Amino acid sequence: MFFRRRRGARLGARVKRAVHAGTYSCRHMARFSHMVSEHSYANAIDLRSLTLDDGRTIAIVKDFGPLDEDPPTDAGRFLRSVAHRAYDERIFSVVLTPRFDALHRDHFHLDMARYRVDGTR
């Protein structure tokens, strides 16, 4: 299971729900007007937060932590772990986080494009 707990990213509860900001939306990429977004093919999802089975919500915008240092909270470490695993384990070919650019300050963009982009580090 993708959200199984790993050492250093334990929250003491399981992920119950993922809250997204959209999947299908026919549009060009924000930075590259000559390229169509993977959202245009329903091949991408923007993940905003995760709700745990104990009721806590882990939101990218509030819990991701500082961009230039390790996150100070378990929630931030968990989000970084999820993003790294999504890319490193090839679950998604493109993983963009707040560390990638300001357009992704409040969500993770996850897609299955034919190319790979690591926007987690």
Side-chain angles (χ1 to χ4, degrees):
M1 171 160 215
F2 180 63
F3 292 119
R4 74 176 176 253
R5 289 176 268 176
R6 293 277 180 117
R7 188 165 46 113
R10 293 196 172 108
L11 296 174
R14 292 182 174 265
V15 172
K16 179 179 180 180
R17 185 177 110 165
V19 176
H20 69 86
T23 54
Y24 175 74
S25 177
C26 192
R27 64 178 190 248
H28 286 97
M29 286 186 189
R31 290 180 176 219
F32 306 102
S33 61
H34 65 284
M35 294 178 72
V36 176
S37 167
E38 290 297 308
H39 287 286
S40 296
Y41 306 107
N43 198 32
I45 188 168
D46 290 338
L47 180 67
R48 289 203 182 270
S49 66
L50 301 168
T51 302
L52 306 180
D53 64 7
D54 65 4
R56 287 181 289 166
T57 297
I58 310 299
I60 283 83
V61 71
K62 74 175 180 61
D63 294 309
F64 190 78
L67 302 181
D68 56 351
E69 59 189 67
D70 290 336
T73 65
D74 286 342
R77 287 187 289 277
F78 175 75
L79 288 173
R80 304 280 174 105
S81 174
V82 167
H84 292 159
R85 288 184 57 216
Y87 184 79
D88 295 344
E89 295 179 18
R90 296 180 174 266
I91 297 164
F92 294 96
S93 55
V94 175
V95 179
L96 307 179
T97 71
R99 294 189 89 172
F100 186 72
D101 66 13
L103 295 173
H104 297 91
R105 70 171 187 75
D106 62 354
H107 69 280
F108 289 171
H109 169 91
L110 310 166
D111 79 42
M112 298 296 296
R114 292 180 304 275
Y115 51 85
R116 290 184 49 78
V117 177
D118 181 2
T120 70
R121 295 171 171 88

